[in-house]
Amino acid sequence: MTTDPDVDPDADLDADADADLAPEPVAATLAGLVPGHDATGHPLGPLVAVTGATGYVGGRLVPELLAAGYRVRALARHPDRLRGRPWFDDVDVAEADVGDAAAVRAALDGVAVAYYLVHALGSDKEFAARDRRSAETFAAAAHDAGVGRIVYLGGLTPDTDDLSPHLASRREVGEILLASGVPTTVLRAAVILGSGSASFEMTRYLTERLPAMTVPRWVANRVQPIAIRDVLRYLVGAAAMPPDVSRAFDIGGPDVLTYRDMMQRYAAVAGLRRRVIVGVGVLTPRLSSLWVSLVTPVPGGLARPLVDSLVHEVVCREHDIARYVPDPPGGLVGFDRAVRLALRRTEQGDVQTRWSSAATPGAPSDPLPSDPGWAGGSLYVDERRTVVDASPAALWRVLETLGGERGWYSWGLAWRVRGLLDRLVGGPGLRRGRRDPGRLRVDDELDWWRVEAVDPGRLLRLRAEMRVPGLAWLELRVEPAGGADEAAEAGGARGIGEAGGLGGARDVGPGTDGWLRAPVVFSQRALFHPRGLAGELYWWSVAPFHGVVFGGMQRNIARAARSAERARTDAPPAGG
């Protein structure tokens, strides 16, 4: 194992960096273990089920299983959240909550291998109990359905019973699945490195933003990180294990480092000056998690259990997995190479999934009620409509690039202050940013919002995941300009009404060059369903600021769309 933080075992990779940005599927190095496809391209493998397909690992595992020749069934509580994934049309989607025994049993019918990639980490203080019940339900359903193997990705733990709640829960879930009567593979990993992973983002932001920092003494603890590519390779290969193998395996990369080493090595790979890192004993896990949540995009609800786990040294005690899934010809991915590839994917916007791909723990997931006469209680609406002298495509391109580095086209200070307050109470704030700077798909996170619906060229609906006493949405529409003069007036707080469509802009959308004629109507609605008296007070306390925040947003987006339209019409013709 490499232990010197100043040694870069991957220094010769720069010449191959471009090729590494689009690596071949992991199945290419698993010859003899994966089923593959027949001459017509049909998969030769059995049906496998993947829970957690909306999450960071699950969302990347599905296409790797398809490439390996397996038929895939993706289990999701809200199947619509999978729409927009490039592999959506290639899988069978089953609606099932892992806590619903009947739904899980039905979803596992005919399944040969079931991947268990869900957890309730950081949702609340009862997350361990929730994980226990879900694992017991899934284990029983897999046994009753005749599943041939369960594969679970858990956490690497030291040989002690004095574990953090997070690691103790991960260990317990693995034990429950191993006791199911179904042959089970438990893969135990420590820090997972990849573009968009929580561990990578924490390391990245802490190192880039703090050239000097005081840190807890446990930054001297050793850890054995592993690249997401190697995790996926082990997960795919585990499906072919012999039926008499049922056990846990430690998995890790080739480097054993301290957390301090990881930050210094990251700085070197990223071209930053060596960081000044001073360990102190007064930073408790609680203070450390607050510090992490303020500096990085990871919210306090997730940072706390992760930080609690850092007090343990987590190094592989065995490498028995190689008996069944041999190391790739070029060896496992080292720390520096993993960081280099993650950085380049991040810079180029080529991030398949992120740590926040799964909904923020404790965040609302209720879809926007579509019934105008909704009986769920008050639903306040701030509605504004503006006629914009721009084509539908110009306006849509502005809407689809909202958030992240570009911001929200209104009172920036107010957004930043609200984001900071949200992080202080455990919400995501504004630092999650965007997965892709130019494209949005259903279930993408967008600062403190999550994309609930995208109808290219017509509709973008966002659901708030910030901490508020109620449910909130922001709906942005591109509508035809017919009758726009009468429609161009601002609305106030009132009951919900019918939603309009776009009609004439059916040829507008990402990936098309069709620019339809101006003008167009930009419709913007902020909706809020209060929860109790606190929700009512919240709405009326912020309502006076809507004119500045939402009104400014309306005007500035319209101005940006007009500028985009002028830039297009003033541009010389191609080849001219």
Side-chain angles (χ1 to χ4, degrees), residues 51 75 96-106 108 116 118 129-145 147 150 173 176-177 180 182:
T51 64
L75 279 61
D97 186 318
V98 291
D100 185 335
V104 175
R105 171 62 182 83
L108 295 181
Y116 191 75
V118 296
R130 186 175 297 108
D131 274 342
R132 181 184 310 115
R133 292 191 298 269
S134 296
E136 290 170 346
T137 299
F138 188 85
H143 183 272
D144 292 346
V147 171
I150 296 173
V173 168
I176 290 170
L177 298 176
S180 65
V182 178

Side-chain angles (χ1 to χ4, degrees), residues 29-391:
T29 62
L30 292 172
L33 285 180
V34 297
H37 301 79
D38 64 20
T40 64
H42 289 93
L44 296 173
L47 178 65
V48 302
V50 178
T51 64
T54 59
Y56 178 74
V57 175
R60 298 190 180 206
L61 177 62
V62 169
E64 295 289 358
L65 290 169
L66 292 171
Y70 290 102
R71 294 177 293 121
V72 177
R73 177 176 295 159
L75 279 61
R77 285 181 299 169
H78 305 290
D80 284 346
R81 290 180 58 190
L82 296 175
R83 295 188 182 277
R85 305 297 173 103
W87 40 261
F88 180 78
D89 292 332
D90 299 321
V91 303
D92 175 24
V93 178
E95 183 175 352
D97 186 318
V98 291
D100 185 335
V104 175
R105 171 62 182 83
L108 295 181
D109 187 45
V111 167
V113 180
Y115 288 87
Y116 191 75
L117 304 174
V118 296
H119 60 79
L121 174 63
S123 56
D124 53 42
K125 294 181 180 180
E126 301 300 321
F127 77 90
R130 186 175 297 108
D131 274 342
R132 181 184 310 115
R133 292 191 298 269
S134 296
E136 290 170 346
T137 299
F138 188 85
H143 183 272
D144 292 346
V147 171
R149 176 167 296 279
I150 296 173
V151 180
Y152 169 60
L153 178 61
L156 185 59
T157 59
D159 189 16
T160 177
D161 291 330
D162 184 22
L163 296 175
S164 70
H166 167 217
L167 290 182
S169 176
R170 290 299 187 93
R171 174 189 284 183
E172 181 183 33
V173 168
E175 293 170 347
I176 290 170
L177 298 176
L178 284 167
S180 65
V182 178
T184 297
T185 300
V186 174
L187 301 177
R188 301 186 297 204
V191 170
I192 296 179
L193 296 172
S195 56
S197 76
S199 300
F200 173 75
E201 291 297 303
M202 285 173 61
T203 303
R204 172 190 171 200
Y205 277 81
L206 288 173
T207 307
E208 290 186 353
R209 295 188 173 190
L210 301 174
M213 64 189 94
T214 56
V215 296
R217 295 192 186 278
W218 44 252
V219 296
N221 289 346
R222 297 185 307 154
V223 64
Q224 191 165 350
I226 183 170
I228 181 61
R229 179 172 176 80
D230 288 330
V231 172
L232 295 171
R233 189 173 179 277
Y234 285 135
L235 286 168
V236 173
M241 282 190 175
D244 61 338
V245 176
S246 185
R247 54 162 292 188
F249 297 90
D250 293 351
I251 60 173
D255 301 316
V256 176
L257 307 166
T258 66
Y259 293 103
R260 177 184 282 107
D261 294 341
M262 288 172 58
M263 287 187 280
Q264 297 291 15
R265 293 261 291 249
Y266 176 93
V269 172
L272 304 173
R273 297 180 63 181
R274 186 173 179 82
R275 277 18 204 166
V276 178
I277 302 174
V278 180
V280 296
V282 297
L283 285 175
T284 65
R286 182 176 182 81
L287 288 174
S288 299
S289 63
L290 178 60
W291 167 58
V292 167
S293 68
L294 289 175
V295 176
T296 79
V298 181
L302 181 58
R304 176 64 190 273
L306 291 177
V307 169
D308 283 347
S309 302
L310 300 183
V311 300
H312 303 291
E313 286 204 342
V314 280
V315 177
C316 295
R317 295 179 295 274
E318 42 84 8
H319 190 50
D320 297 347
I321 187 69
R323 300 177 190 172
Y324 307 98
V325 186
D327 291 348
L332 299 172
V333 179
F335 179 87
D336 299 297
R337 181 184 176 196
V339 170
R340 184 178 294 114
L341 300 184
L343 281 174
R344 297 203 179 189
R345 286 189 179 276
T346 301
E347 291 168 358
Q348 297 194 3
D350 185 21
V351 180
Q352 299 176 43
T353 59
R354 302 177 69 202
W355 62 269
S356 49
S357 294
T360 297
S365 59
D366 299 43
L368 175 66
S370 57
D371 181 3
W374 186 49
S378 301
L379 187 62
Y380 296 116
V381 181
D382 181 283
E383 183 168 8
R384 301 166 191 272
R385 296 163 66 86
T386 300
V387 179
V388 184
D389 189 19
S391 65

